[in-house]
Amino acid sequence: MVEAERATEPAVRVSTLELFLDLVFVFTITQLTSVVDEDVTVLAVLRVMLLLGVIWWMYGGYAWLTNAVAPVSSYRRGMMIIGMAGFLVMALAIPDAFGGTGWAFGVGYFAVNLVHSGLFRYSAGRGAARAAAALFPLNLTSAGLVLAGGFLPVAWRSVAWGAALAVQIASPYLHPIGGFTISAAHFVERHGLVVIIALGESVVAIGVGARGTSLGWRLILAAVLGLVLAYNLWWAYFGGDDERAEHAMDRIEDATRRARTALRAYGYAHYPILLGIVLVAAGVKNVIGHTFRPMSTPGALALGGGIAVFLAGDLIFRRIMRIGRPWYRVACAVGALVTVPVGRVLGIWQLAVITAALTVLLAVEAHRARPAG
């Protein structure tokens, strides 16, 4: 029996069920990291970028969904579990998504999309339901392309999934999204939580990279450096600025402008942030596995380039939200790329240089931002 509730119900804070969904979603981050770690090539990174783009768009759709439809009933929670199952199937399919498990990725994605559309249609408030209905044909088109692509040959699969991502990116500009009511507190917290859980992947990478390595001072040193690097990424993203972002969102009174800002800041700008985390985690695993040995050029690029991509996404996010003075981070992003030759000499040297530079940068930035007196 279809639920009769119709009022828009923006949740004040993120529910534990949403946090559970985030844990399932971050499993996709773990799987993408494994793909890069096992095959650090341009083709592998491009494929990871494509998969992450498709997955992140649908995760974002669920963040918008729970912002308007709180999972407070058995019907809603049951549908959310089905959506989680779809995300889980997609994650399991990722390692061979461009091979034999592409069909599973497509089926999982299609299920996730149908649950999302169904909950918006039957449980959201009138404005959000109307806005979602306008987007439904484009969402169905992108989901259909992902599903069909899973059954196509590899070359055509890439084309179909690339087309699906293009449709997703264009859809908010083809139909108005001002009908969505954005609860700033919920929206900011939801995305902050997924970032911090994804950062946990960098810590997990330390343990995975240490498998089969005897515990000694070298491994301990590399592990501690990896932990401090993950902390620095946390500091760069949060550091009190999540509250400033919430206040900045609250100050936007026009519904259409608020929705556009939410889309640009938490949709588009967060994509490079998560991609950077994937690359950094793969780079850290590579360092831990080759503590006092030279890294391959792709491995060193994953570590240095991952930091640069993360900081670039952070810069874009801050620019959109008009918070902070992040220009120190431009120098650090460039500096991270410059460390690639260092990693070619010794992996742990590159990890140490990046960690030290980021620590100094953030400390100076925090000191200069401190009010006088």
Side-chain angles (χ1 to χ4, degrees):
M1 181 176 180
V2 175
E3 187 177 14
E5 299 166 43
R6 288 293 184 269
T8 300
E9 305 165 13
V12 175
R13 289 298 175 191
V14 176
S15 69
T16 52
L17 184 63
E18 291 171 79
L19 183 57
F20 186 33
L21 172 62
D22 291 351
L23 292 172
V24 178
F25 165 75
V26 170
F27 180 45
T28 66
I29 300 295
T30 302
Q31 294 287 74
L32 291 170
T33 299
S34 297
V35 171
V36 176
D37 180 56
E38 292 173 6
D39 182 22
V40 191
T41 61
V42 173
L43 179 59
V45 172
L46 289 175
R47 286 178 170 178
V48 163
M49 290 173 65
L50 177 57
L51 289 172
L52 177 60
V54 171
I55 295 167
W56 176 243
W57 185 266
M58 204 62 251
Y59 171 84
Y62 272 72
W64 286 66
L65 170 66
T66 54
N67 198 258
V69 181
V72 294
S73 69
S74 297
Y75 166 75
R76 295 179 183 183
R77 290 192 294 268
M79 293 296 286
M80 289 284 287
I81 289 295
I82 296 173
M84 289 182 202
F87 272 113
L88 182 61
V89 171
M90 290 162 61
L92 292 170
I94 282 174
D96 197 28
F98 286 89
T101 60
W103 66 271
F105 185 87
V107 169
Y109 186 88
F110 199 81
V112 167
N113 190 284
L114 286 182
V115 170
H116 176 265
S117 298
L119 277 172
F120 254 126
R121 171 65 181 84
Y122 295 112
S123 296
R126 186 175 301 173
R130 188 184 300 115
L135 293 171
F136 178 74
L138 291 171
N139 287 341
L140 184 62
T141 298
S142 64
L145 285 168
V146 175
L147 177 62
F151 293 91
L152 293 175
V154 174
W156 287 106
R157 185 173 304 171
S158 301
V159 172
W161 288 355
L165 182 58
V167 171
Q168 292 168 345
I169 293 172
S171 59
Y173 298 96
L174 298 177
H175 285 287
I177 59 174
F180 294 102
T181 301
I182 303 297
S183 171
H186 176 276
F187 210 77
V188 171
E189 184 182 16
R190 180 74 190 273
H191 287 85
L193 283 171
V194 81
V195 168
I196 198 168
I197 296 172
L199 282 173
E201 170 59 27
S202 298
V203 179
V204 172
I206 296 171
V208 174
R211 287 177 182 170
T213 304
S214 59
L215 184 61
W217 70 268
R218 294 181 176 185
L219 178 58
I220 292 173
L221 175 60
V224 170
L225 286 172
L227 177 63
V228 175
L229 181 60
Y231 165 74
N232 282 336
L233 295 182
W234 171 89
W235 188 2
Y237 180 87
F238 294 96
D241 289 325
D242 48 334
E243 294 181 6
R244 299 178 67 187
E246 181 181 329
H247 295 155
M249 186 80 72
D250 266 332
R251 286 194 295 268
I252 303 174
E253 297 182 359
D254 180 73
T256 299
R257 183 165 164 258
R258 179 183 284 209
R260 292 284 184 202
T261 300
L263 174 68
R264 291 167 58 222
Y266 289 94
Y268 302 148
H270 271 61
Y271 170 79
I273 288 173
L274 285 173
L275 177 62
I277 292 173
V278 169
L279 294 174
V280 169
V284 169
K285 285 174 70 175
N286 200 294
V287 171
I288 297 296
H290 306 83
T291 312
F292 276 82
R293 293 199 297 264
M295 292 176 69
S296 64
T297 298
L301 275 171
L303 182 56
I307 295 294
V309 170
F310 179 94
L311 291 175
D314 180 71
L315 282 163
I316 296 168
F317 168 70
R318 288 165 175 270
R319 181 68 175 173
I320 293 169
M321 298 302 296
R322 300 180 181 179
I323 59 172
R325 293 178 294 178
W327 304 115
Y328 293 99
R329 303 177 187 208
V330 175
C332 195
V334 174
L337 290 173
V338 174
T339 66
V340 171
V342 178
R344 293 288 294 123
V345 178
L346 276 183
I348 197 167
W349 284 3
Q350 182 186 17
L351 181 59
V353 170
I354 289 177
T355 302
L358 200 51
T359 301
V360 172
L361 161 81
L362 293 170
V364 171
E365 186 179 79
H367 176 74
R368 291 186 64 109
R370 189 179 303 159

